[in-house]
Amino acid sequence: MCRGIQHPVRGLFLRSYLAQVSRDKLPDIGSEYEGDADTVVDAVEFVLQNFTEMNKLWVRMQHQGPAREKEKREKERSELRDLVGKNLHVLSQIEGIDLDMYKETVLPRVLEQVVNCKDEIAQYYLMDCIIQVFPDEYHLQTLDVLLGAFPQLQPTVDIKTVLSRLMERLSNYAASSADVLPEFLQVEAFSKLNNAIGKVIEAQPDMPILGVITLYSSLLTFTLHVHPDRLDYADQVLGACVKKLSGKEKLEDKKATKQIVALLSAPLDKYNDIVTALKLSNYPRVMEYLDSETNKVMATVIIQSIMKNKTRISTADRVEALFELIKGLIKDLDDAFHDEVDEDDFKEEQNSVARLIQLLHSDDPEEMFKIICTVRKHILGGGPKRLPFTVPPLVFSSLKLVRQLQGQEENPFGEEESTTPKKIFQVLNQTVETLSNIPAPELALQLFLQCAEAANDCDLEPVAYEFFTQAYILYEEEISDSRAQVTAIHLIIGTLQRMHVFGVENRDTLTHKATGYSAKLLKKPDQCRAVYACSHLFWVDDQDNVKDGERVLLCLKRALRIANAAQQMSNAARGSAGSVTLFVEILNKYLYFFEKGNPQITVAAIQSLIELITTEMHSDSSTLDPAADAFFASTLRYMEFQKQKGGAIGEKYEPIKV
């Protein structure tokens, strides 16, 4: 009956029914139908014959009816495809089919039918069926035969998907147990798959680049699962990918670039170690084909991998290779900087580069210095928008190395080339200077002061003086905003106060300059605060040679004069004398130096200042200021407390009437 009906759809359903009813009646091993004459071979023959006939009927559907109904027919065919595939499923269920029979009979016969039918839909579906229904170890042992069929398929068949699924199955099989790995080596699975992909790409010259990359991406995943130790295999795959990409412009196709990112991320995910990926010589060559946006995405993936795994990158060569990979974040790859770059994204990217710079470390000072020079070389080309993010971490990395070398002024072996703090400071000076050129003067000034402090700890007076000079030049020439000036002058005073390396002459020069700047600030209250802060420059606790009581008093008196002037100006402009906060702040400075034993700060001076504040507070013209009142009250409370304390301090405070 089946042979008699040649109408495709009726014939398909009838044969499908035949497959279904005969399914449990096949003469299989252990089946009640296994007899003298009937063996597994007959069962296989029966199913194969039915499969062949059904496939022919299924393919014939394509060629019946008018051409305009082609889409409708293809839809019908894809709905009926499971009827044909069911035969392959029945075959895979027959217990009697061992590897030899599969190799000798089943697979060649099925593939012959697939190749000969020359139908795109049938070939794609049936190849996928074969891969899905038969066991993985059978695929592994018959790779030659299976892969040999791929180049013979129609050029329009979506081979990349089928081949990718095959490799995915084999990868999972390899991952399932370590015992199966020797089988992969035995059949040389990698080279067979690699050759097959090459042949498929040759046989389909019109294959889009996305297909090529997808195939190589699957092959790389397979390689990393099956041969994680064979880096040369992974590099070979990337090399083949480069060969296919060469001659093409940068990829614009979003799907293809996404696939390349997947391809490049695979080694990072597998090894969790960028150092291993850096050994792949073709890795950076593949990255070159990405457009600048995707290059940035990939660079971010690499940096995140390093941070997540806390990878140590401790040689200058590796740092060089790494910065080549992430150059998309370090400099503009296109000629023009895109204005449409999102500001927050840009900050996030640059902050991740800054974090990366902090992670680069070597215990060997020579190597660390080389790393610093390598990073410097790369980041200085980053342009004015990037430098404020990338220079500070580099400076602090260098200062860390300086502290490590502290005290080793001369190399014990007398080598000329050795890394010394002096040498590092020279590099630092040039590096920070680039910031003042872009211009980012406030940041440059802060970094110069940090370097000066480090030079102070290394007892390098000329170097520290040079850094201070640079900071002063920046203050004079570049910093014009009054708020920024206030911040800068307090930083200068704070740093200078901690310096112990300067001789009398140098210290006087720098101190004189700082007091001069303080007195020239725009707003009177700012002037006053900066001037009384300068008093600390003349009295440093742990340096006996810097205890000049007279100049401390001069500073404080000057501050008082400025505070007075501020009140008069306020009176003239607003009709009220303003707050007494400045006077209370100066009083606190008087008390500080009084406690420290400055002979110039007398009880009488403190007493008259208290009276001045009290008078001011009760005068009609002063403004009500609860904060200033509370500040004054707590200062008086402190003095009372010191009196009650007794001892030397108590005696000191005794004469002061509160």
Side-chain angles (χ1 to χ4, degrees):
M1 217 175 141
C2 284
R3 284 183 183 153
I5 292 178
Q6 289 301 308
H7 183 283
V9 181
R10 290 186 199 137
L12 266 176
F13 277 103
L14 190 57
R15 280 189 174 276
S16 167
Y17 176 68
L18 172 67
Q20 209 167 336
V21 291
S22 60
R23 191 173 179 173
D24 51 358
K25 298 181 177 55
L26 295 170
D28 192 5
I29 291 176
S31 131
E32 57 183 287
Y33 300 103
E34 188 182 15
D36 303 330
D38 298 324
T39 61
V40 173
V41 178
D42 297 318
V44 170
E45 189 56 45
F46 175 76
V47 179
L48 278 173
Q49 200 177 348
N50 200 30
F51 162 71
T52 308
E53 291 302 325
M54 282 181 82
N55 190 39
K56 284 176 181 169
L57 290 168
W58 187 45
V59 171
R60 197 185 302 158
M61 283 177 71
Q62 186 73 16
H63 308 294
Q64 290 191 333
R68 66 174 178 278
E69 290 180 4
K70 185 176 173 220
E71 273 184 31
K72 184 183 166 198
R73 281 200 305 278
E74 283 180 357
K75 189 167 177 280
E76 278 176 7
R77 281 192 66 198
S78 68
E79 284 166 1
L80 296 174
R81 64 187 186 177
D82 288 352
L83 301 179
V84 186
K86 205 180 282 176
N87 287 292
L88 295 178
H89 189 251
V90 171
L91 272 175
S92 68
Q93 302 293 310
I94 297 177
E95 295 284 331
I97 299 183
D98 56 8
L99 179 58
D100 288 335
M101 186 184 262
Y102 176 75
K103 209 174 194 172
E104 301 300 326
T105 315
V106 179
L107 185 63
R109 289 274 296 278
V110 174
L111 285 178
E112 180 189 4
Q113 182 53 39
V114 173
V115 172
N116 289 345
C117 73
K118 292 193 168 29
D119 177 81
E120 180 192 339
I121 297 175
Q123 287 183 339
Y124 174 72
Y125 171 67
L126 294 174
M127 287 304 277
D128 198 29
C129 262
I130 295 169
I131 289 165
Q132 301 304 338
V133 300
F134 291 109
D136 295 327
E137 59 266 35
Y138 283 17
H139 292 323
L140 195 54
Q141 297 300 334
T142 56
L143 257 183
D144 285 346
V145 186
L146 190 56
L147 295 174
F150 280 103
Q152 298 174 47
L153 301 179
Q154 298 298 97
T156 46
V157 176
D158 181 11
I159 295 178
K160 71 169 189 308
T161 311
V162 185
L163 248 176
S164 297
R165 280 180 192 157
L166 172 64
M167 288 188 273
E168 197 180 317
R169 272 203 72 160
L170 291 176
S171 297
N172 295 340
Y173 178 50
S176 65
S177 147
D179 304 337
V180 300
L181 288 178
E183 288 179 38
F184 281 89
L185 294 168
Q186 201 180 340
V187 299
E188 296 179 342
F190 171 75
S191 54
K192 284 177 182 171
L193 284 166
N194 197 6
N195 292 338
I197 289 175
K199 281 180 185 160
V200 165
I201 293 170
E202 269 173 46
Q204 296 196 358
D206 298 334
M207 184 189 280
I209 198 72
L210 172 64
V212 176
I213 298 164
T214 309
L215 282 175
Y216 281 122
S217 190
S218 303
L219 180 59
L220 185 64
T221 312
F222 168 82
T223 310
L224 295 172
H225 274 294
V226 182
H227 308 288
D229 50 337
R230 294 293 300 264
L231 278 179
D232 54 330
Y233 281 177
D235 207 24
Q236 209 175 318
V237 177
L238 292 172
C241 206
V242 169
K243 208 179 270 179
K244 283 289 151 206
L245 288 167
S246 60
K248 292 185 171 51
E249 288 301 307
K250 297 220 169 186
L251 291 177
E252 295 301 329
D253 176 3
K254 282 280 171 274
K255 281 185 180 165
T257 48
K258 209 171 176 184
Q259 198 59 51
I260 288 196
V261 171
L263 174 84
L264 292 170
S265 304
L268 297 180
D269 297 340
K270 176 67 186 169
Y271 296 117
N272 287 332
D273 180 6
I274 183 69
V275 176
T276 313
L278 290 175
K279 290 177 189 162
L280 302 170
S281 59
N282 286 307
Y283 198 90
R285 290 172 62 197
V286 177
M287 272 191 84
E288 283 169 17
Y289 291 97
L290 294 172
D291 59 285
S292 54
E293 258 329 289
T294 322
N295 208 309
K296 278 186 192 171
V297 171
M298 195 58 232
T300 310
V301 169
I302 292 171
I303 292 177
Q304 280 166 350
S305 156
I306 293 172
M307 285 180 198
K308 188 172 129 205
N309 302 301
K310 299 193 166 52
T311 313
R312 273 197 62 178
I313 298 168
S314 49
T315 71
D317 298 342
R318 283 184 185 161
V319 172
E320 173 71 47
L322 172 65
F323 273 71
E324 270 303 314
L325 286 185
I326 61 164
K327 62 183 173 199
L329 293 180
I330 292 170
K331 50 176 166 252
D332 300 331
L333 295 177
D334 303 344
D335 296 337
F337 185 80
H338 303 303
D339 295 330
E340 64 267 19
V341 170
D342 183 282
E343 205 57 41
D344 291 341
D345 288 353
F346 180 74
K347 278 185 183 158
E348 188 51 48
E349 285 167 5
Q350 295 311 308
N351 284 332
S352 64
V353 174
R355 287 203 280 282
L356 172 67
I357 294 172
Q358 299 279 21
L359 283 176
L360 308 173
H361 178 70
S362 169
D363 295 330
D364 172 27
E366 299 290 328
E367 196 58 42
M368 188 61 205
F369 185 61
K370 280 185 197 162
I371 289 176
I372 288 167
C373 292
T374 307
V375 173
R376 180 174 176 272
K377 178 183 78 182
H378 280 278
I379 64 169
L380 288 190
K385 284 192 83 166
R386 289 186 177 83
L387 286 175
F389 292 94
T390 50
V391 168
L394 178 63
V395 169
F396 284 103
S397 243
S398 311
L399 292 178
K400 209 192 252 175
L401 178 58
V402 168
R403 307 243 186 256
Q404 198 182 323
L405 294 169
Q406 221 163 294
Q408 294 174 241
E409 179 43 46
E410 289 306 320
N411 189 302
F413 307 111
E415 286 173 29
E416 279 299 299
E417 290 306 300
S418 70
T419 304
T420 59
K422 226 179 233 169
K423 207 169 177 183
I424 301 168
F425 282 128
Q426 287 164 3
V427 173
L428 278 171
N429 200 346
Q430 296 158 6
T431 310
V432 181
E433 254 178 26
T434 56
L435 280 179
S436 48
N437 298 338
I438 58 179
E442 288 97 338
L443 180 58
L445 181 126
Q446 289 172 350
L447 293 175
F448 275 133
L449 293 175
Q450 286 284 355
C451 295
E453 209 171 331
N456 173 65
D457 294 343
C458 293
D459 291 328
L460 296 172
E461 184 180 5
V463 179
Y465 190 79
E466 174 57 29
F467 281 124
F468 255 98
T469 311
Q470 296 281 8
Y472 280 3
I473 291 169
L474 276 177
Y475 180 83
E476 285 178 13
E477 295 178 2
E478 302 289 342
I479 300 179
S480 52
D481 176 64
S482 60
R483 256 214 194 109
Q485 281 185 335
V486 173
T487 312
I489 197 67
H490 281 284
L491 282 172
I492 288 172
I493 294 168
T495 311
L496 187 53
Q497 195 260 346
R498 289 197 294 275
M499 303 299 256
H500 58 71
V501 74
F502 292 133
V504 178
E505 197 176 312
N506 281 345
R507 191 178 178 92
D508 276 1
T509 311
L510 294 172
T511 308
H512 180 69
K513 272 281 187 199
T515 41
Y517 294 149
S518 304
K520 287 187 186 131
L521 289 171
L522 179 67
K523 296 177 184 167
K524 289 286 179 197
D526 290 341
Q527 257 185 44
C528 173
R529 289 187 174 107
V531 167
Y532 74 58
C534 285
S535 61
H536 287 284
L537 296 177
F538 303 108
W539 190 281
V540 181
D541 258 1
D542 48 4
Q543 293 183 50
D544 290 336
N545 61 340
V546 189
K547 284 192 173 150
D548 188 340
E550 269 181 42
R551 289 176 79 175
V552 169
L553 188 61
L554 271 175
C555 277
L556 296 177
K557 280 184 170 170
R558 193 175 187 183
L560 267 176
R561 278 203 304 280
I562 298 170
N564 236 333
Q567 279 214 324
Q568 284 165 7
M569 280 170 69
S570 177
N571 219 342
R574 298 192 187 85
S576 67
S579 165
V580 293
T581 311
L582 285 173
F583 290 113
V584 184
E585 286 173 18
I586 295 167
L587 170 63
N588 274 274
K589 287 292 167 201
Y590 266 90
L591 293 178
Y592 171 83
F593 289 110
F594 179 63
E595 274 184 31
K596 292 290 178 195
N598 182 340
Q600 305 295 324
I601 308 289
T602 57
V603 172
I606 294 172
Q607 197 71 57
S608 66
L609 188 49
I610 294 172
E611 282 162 15
L612 170 74
I613 295 169
T614 317
T615 316
E616 282 292 339
M617 282 168 76
H618 293 117
S619 78
D620 303 335
S621 62
S622 79
T623 319
L624 276 176
D625 183 355
D629 297 351
F631 187 12
F632 184 52
S634 68
T635 306
L636 296 179
R637 247 198 331 274
Y638 170 77
M639 288 155 75
E640 277 297 338
F641 173 70
Q642 292 294 65
K643 271 186 191 181
Q644 289 161 14
K645 213 176 189 179
I649 289 281
E651 274 175 34
K652 263 189 157 181
Y653 274 92
E654 198 51 53
I656 302 174
K657 296 182 182 63
V658 177

